[in-house]
Amino acid sequence: MLGLMQDWPLLVHKIIDHAAQNHGDREVVTRSVEGPIHRTNYREIAVRARKVAEALDRLGLKEGDRIATLAWNTWRHLETWYGITGMGGVYHTLNPRLFPDQLIYIANHAEDKVIFFDITFASLVEQIAPKLPKVELYIAMTDAAHLAEMTKKSGANIPNLVAYEEFIAGSSGTYEWKQLDEKAACGLCYTSGTTGNPKGVLYSHRSNMLHAMMCAQTDAQAVCSRDSILPVVPMFHANAWGLAFSAPMVGAKLVMPGPKLDGASVCELLTTERVTMTAAVPTVWLTALQYMDQNNISLPHLNRVMIGGSACPRSMIETFEKKYNVQVIHAWGMTEMSPLGTIGTLKHHVAELPHDKQMDYKVKQGHPVFGVEMKITDDDNNELPRDGKAFGRLKVRGPAIVKGYFRGEGTDAFDDDGWFDTGDVATIDSESYMTITDRSKDVIKSGGEWISSIEIENIAVGHPAVAEAAVIGVRHPKWDERPLLIVVKKPGAAVTREDILEYLKGKIAKWWMPDDVQFVADIPHTATGKIQKTTLREQFHAYRLPTAAE
Amino acid sequence: MLGLMQDWPLLVHKIIDHAAQNHGDREVVTRSVEGPIHRTNYREIAVRARKVAEALDRLGLKEGDRIATLAWNTWRHLETWYGITGMGGVYHTLNPRLFPDQLIYIANHAEDKVIFFDITFASLVEQIAPKLPKVELYIAMTDAAHLAEMTKKSGANIPNLVAYEEFIAGSSGTYEWKQLDEKAACGLCYTSGTTGNPKGVLYSHRSNMLHAMMCAQTDAQAVCSRDSILPVVPMFHANAWGLAFSAPMVGAKLVMPGPKLDGASVCELLTTERVTMTAAVPTVWLTALQYMDQNNISLPHLNRVMIGGSACPRSMIETFEKKYNVQVIHAWGMTEMSPLGTIGTLKHHVAELPHDKQMDYKVKQGHPVFGVEMKITDDDNNELPRDGKAFGRLKVRGPAIVKGYFRGEGTDAFDDDGWFDTGDVATIDSESYMTITDRSKDVIKSGGEWISSIEIENIAVGHPAVAEAAVIGVRHPKWDERPLLIVVKKPGAAVTREDILEYLKGKIAKWWMPDDVQFVADIPHTATGKIQKTTLREQFHAYRLPTAAE
């Protein structure tokens, strides 16, 4: 049966080629690491990406080799990604916010051969370089003059060092992209992971391309050629949520913030570059909204902002929508999912609800885009009802979702049917709006039923005397686990165990009632401000519940 | 290097599963062939599609078997497509507008084993059935009562006949979709072709899926879950421009017009079903706009209309936009391209132009969506400049573009690099807006240069005495070919050869000037209203140009 359709492997360099050919004049604007605003376009970026590829090829790098970047969102970082993937390499984004020891572990685990870095990170690179025996070349993402200036100023001593502009200077820009299998590796990103070593997620050309096409849907990022897009979310954070691929795919203008992610800098770009769409975690918007408020800034061009990484507070959504007339797209995803999972764009029946009812949906994590399958199960992998009430382990499947971690680690996250266990506990309603209720390692398993630690915490902090609350499961001879509520009182507040329990009554199910309340001076947090429950559990290791008398 | 992303083959039944699970309540509304409005939803359609699959499987049909449909856009047709593809079969859309002999040729060439048909086409089926030895079963897409009534009324005698509802009645609806390779055949559609026999385009699961994802982009169909979509374009016409896949992919409501495509019927659905997006060829809108005008109809819900199949006149775009506040998305594609090629959504620099300048772009065929590569070449396959002036053979490449016709026919349309020659002649400007200037078999090749027959025709019909004009190339001893202008005068108009040539002067290049003008009583047309140049060339076979004296 001859016939059928063309072989056209899904290779990410086709994205930059499409942009160069069909949207060649479209701008890529960067607040450069060196300081000034830098302007280029997709036509030039495609040529320079070929130069990067040619120079890497000349170095003797081979298909599948990992090449790291330790860099902000800039046009050079974009060129580097496309250049690396076009010569068959694997771009490996290093997160500069990690501790040097973590970076050393990750770069060695990945066996990075080259590290591209922004000069902001020179002293960090100097610090880790002696421990990275596999790295053959360090490329400072600047020109020779700025590199010399930086070296003089910082005194940083980095071996095998070359300036980016010199590295690519000898190349013609006519390099022919490698012909690759679409399932070839293309990118690598490590998940920070609250326990154990970071684990690598290895993206393929196919997964990145399909993910970009999923992002480009109107109910996802809705990116189009008329957009001016500011990805505040870094390229080293879960692929910049796909924007480094989806924006050139549709010919949108890209506005790259470089190293400055403070409120004033972000707001300035939003205005001067007439940004229509932007994306970042809630903490960025917390400071940006404060700045806007203090400086009476309006956002006439911006029409939507994508917020994810952690849950977006209701008040933030309302401020954006009511005060600035900017639509919030609340999204949820994971490094393991490329990262897009669910998206909070309004489904038709929600769009017809009154504003406050809509808000009840907007604070949820959203519904899955096409290409993401989602289910919740109990511990025995039995699927739970999609009724918005039952909560269980959230499992996902799709073409842009990890099949296994790099080098075969963390196999317990995958089941035989190919579902990946997200480690989150969630509800799904009948129309597929998903709400995360807990992390699966924090949920309390009491007599075969699950209790959401987060829900009790959210209610407990409503008590006027409570500054912060955390709930952990504590061993119980009869129920396996029972909830213990740990409370930090507000300064000067007088409140008893009984007051708190009384306050909870009627607000949560009877069997969810904590068996005890313990007051502490403070609760430990992670670097990103989340409650560090592993540490809490260690602190309360010797604690016995009053109800646990055997 | 373990790791990488999940195997998740691109199989079209995943689209209906996604719709059923995440947009289960979303309606599919049909003006049924039997008469009344019929309402169902994606949840029910997915179940009934499984029943179709189960019943076909029980018949003994195998993977790759072709199963024809001769049907309007209805919910049953949708179920049939998904059911066929989910059991590994190939849906083959028969175009009821073809002559019986063509249908017989096509169904035999495809070796269709089953034909699903709407009862509207009973007498057509009766007529062709005796000539279709491979067809084992005819399924009338209705229930037993309506089938009996139809048979009684029409007296049609069709062998091996069963009603659709009876055919699927014995199935459970829990059929498990076949596990297929994503490159497996999935659909088949024949191009009508002005010369030679129709040729088959065999779509794969992968090509249909990628095409649907291309369609779902904001700069393409921009379909989303809040849309109510009326595909007036039939499913037997180039996959209903992908809407039967892209609409369920995003959870849009589908409004199926059934057999009634007249202005009144279309307008009624636009209003009662609050249609936000619709799609059809210009001739449909010609009658619909007339109806709207005569009946003072407004379109408060509709926000965009996709128009393709043939060039959309400027006046039609203006009427939709100015009078009805409806955006026109002018698109170009081919059966061989699944069909989406280019789309006239505004690029950023066009969106900033004044209205009349925008119109100059809106009448063009548009720019290619991601997934379509496009170039123009001369006869020797040398690429021509993208300057909006040079015109050449339009060639395309992409994952949803045909690699070869069914059974290996028409190989001359493909070059060694995998480009498909569209048979069109076009210009491409620097920002990739493409304009079709001619069919390559109609372009006039004079002294190595090309002359666009269509451009001369468009100018000639501007003469007040000209009712219709056609230009064909006629043999010339020195220049190979020279243009001959053939004119139908308006009733009662007196105009000479010299008047017409004088009128053309200054409006076209000197060397484009026709060598002669011939007046005729009428010009032959194809069934779809296009000028039949093959017939014209035959009529003027013996004609000698006055300039051709040897």
Side-chain angles (χ1 to χ4, degrees), chain A residues 172-364:
Chain A
S172 67
T174 58
Y175 179 86
E176 286 210 12
W177 302 129
K178 285 269 167 64
Q179 299 294 319
L180 305 162
D181 187 293
E182 67 183 34
K183 292 192 176 172
C186 160
L188 178 64
C189 184
Y190 282 71
T191 57
S192 40
T194 47
T195 56
N197 280 321
K199 293 187 286 291
V201 179
L202 192 61
Y203 307 109
S204 66
H205 280 267
R206 174 183 164 100
S207 70
N208 271 351
M209 176 78 93
L210 289 174
H211 183 263
M213 294 179 82
M214 286 157 56
C215 287
Q217 292 185 30
T218 303
D219 267 336
Q221 294 171 350
V223 288
C224 75
S225 65
R226 295 169 298 291
D227 272 322
S228 169
I229 298 175
L230 172 62
V232 183
V233 55
M235 292 167 74
F236 58 74
H237 179 192
N239 279 324
W241 300 351
L243 288 166
F245 299 117
S246 63
M249 176 174 270
V250 301
K253 172 176 169 180
L254 260 180
V255 182
M256 300 297 236
K260 295 198 175 167
L261 309 183
D262 60 287
S265 302
V266 167
C267 289
E268 191 189 309
L269 286 179
L270 289 177
T271 303
T272 56
E273 300 304 327
R274 297 170 165 255
V275 169
T276 56
M277 191 261 198
T278 180
V281 295
T283 46
V284 164
W285 299 122
L286 220 54
T287 58
L289 284 172
Q290 224 163 30
Y291 176 85
M292 289 186 245
D293 187 51
Q294 285 159 359
N295 296 274
N296 283 318
I297 285 171
S298 66
L299 301 170
H301 308 294
L302 194 66
N303 68 54
R304 63 204 191 282
V305 51
M306 200 169 164
I307 302 182
S310 57
C312 179
R314 193 179 185 109
S315 59
M316 186 176 284
I317 300 177
E318 283 185 331
T319 305
F320 265 117
E321 298 199 344
K322 288 192 178 157
K323 189 164 174 190
Y324 297 101
N325 196 26
V326 169
Q327 183 204 347
V328 170
I329 305 176
H330 193 187
W332 169 85
M334 296 178 80
T335 300
E336 288 89 337
M337 299 175 75
S338 297
L340 192 60
T342 55
I343 199 119
T345 44
L346 300 186
K347 294 177 72 168
H348 77 106
H349 67 290
V350 179
E352 285 165 9
L353 294 174
H355 179 81
D356 61 321
K357 296 275 178 202
Q358 280 187 7
M359 284 304 295
D360 294 343
Y361 284 90
K362 287 181 181 174
V363 294
K364 290 171 185 268

Side-chain angles (χ1 to χ4, degrees), chain B residues 111-131:
Chain B
E111 299 183 3
D112 294 328
K113 295 220 169 142
V114 173
I115 295 184
F116 288 81
F117 69 97
D118 273 329
I119 49 176
T120 345
F121 306 120
S123 66
L124 178 58
V125 171
E126 184 187 26
Q127 202 178 340
I128 65 177
K131 306 266 181 66

Side-chain angles (χ1 to χ4, degrees), chain A residues 150-166:
Chain A
M150 177 279 289
T151 309
K152 201 173 152 194
K153 231 192 274 178
S154 71
N157 179 19
I158 297 166
N160 306 317
L161 180 63
V162 63
Y164 181 95
E165 295 299 335
E166 290 199 76

Side-chain angles (χ1 to χ4, degrees), chain A residues 59-201:
Chain A
L59 272 188
L61 293 179
K62 290 185 183 51
E63 283 178 27
D65 278 347
R66 272 78 67 201
I67 297 161
T69 62
L70 187 71
W72 301 110
N73 292 5
T74 70
W75 84 101
R76 286 195 186 105
H77 201 173
L78 202 65
E79 291 165 5
T80 303
W81 272 21
Y82 283 103
I84 291 169
T85 58
M87 61 73 63
V90 178
Y91 68 84
H92 171 206
T93 46
L94 291 169
N95 182 344
R97 290 171 186 158
L98 296 178
F99 296 113
D101 278 353
Q102 288 175 302
L103 284 173
I104 290 165
Y105 171 83
I106 289 172
N108 282 328
H109 189 268
E111 300 184 2
D112 294 328
K113 295 221 168 142
V114 172
I115 295 182
F116 287 81
F117 69 97
D118 273 329
I119 50 176
T120 346
F121 305 121
S123 66
L124 178 58
V125 172
E126 183 187 27
Q127 202 179 340
I128 64 178
K131 306 267 180 65
L132 304 178
K134 302 262 184 187
V135 176
E136 298 164 12
L137 187 67
Y138 292 88
I139 301 172
M141 300 173 91
T142 189
D143 54 31
H146 282 93
L147 177 56
E149 189 187 319
M150 177 279 289
T151 309
K152 201 173 152 194
K153 231 192 274 178
S154 71
N157 179 19
I158 297 166
N160 306 317
L161 180 63
V162 63
Y164 181 95
E165 295 299 335
E166 290 199 76
F167 179 65
I168 65 169
S171 301
S172 67
T174 58
Y175 179 86
E176 286 210 12
W177 302 129
K178 285 269 167 64
Q179 299 294 319
L180 305 162
D181 187 293
E182 67 183 34
K183 292 192 176 172
C186 160
L188 178 64
C189 184
Y190 282 71
T191 57
S192 40
T194 47
T195 56
N197 280 321
K199 293 187 286 291
V201 179

Side-chain angles (χ1 to χ4, degrees), chain B residues 366-408:
Chain B
H367 52 95
V369 293
F370 178 78
V372 173
E373 294 180 65
M374 204 170 68
K375 68 175 179 183
I376 46 173
T377 75
D378 62 19
D379 275 340
D380 299 323
N381 204 20
N382 298 307
E383 191 164 350
L384 297 173
R386 303 164 82 90
D387 58 8
K389 286 172 198 153
F391 57 95
R393 290 173 172 276
L394 180 65
K395 295 177 181 176
V396 292
R397 202 163 64 172
I401 296 170
V402 71
K403 179 166 73 177
Y405 289 104
F406 188 50
R407 299 192 192 284

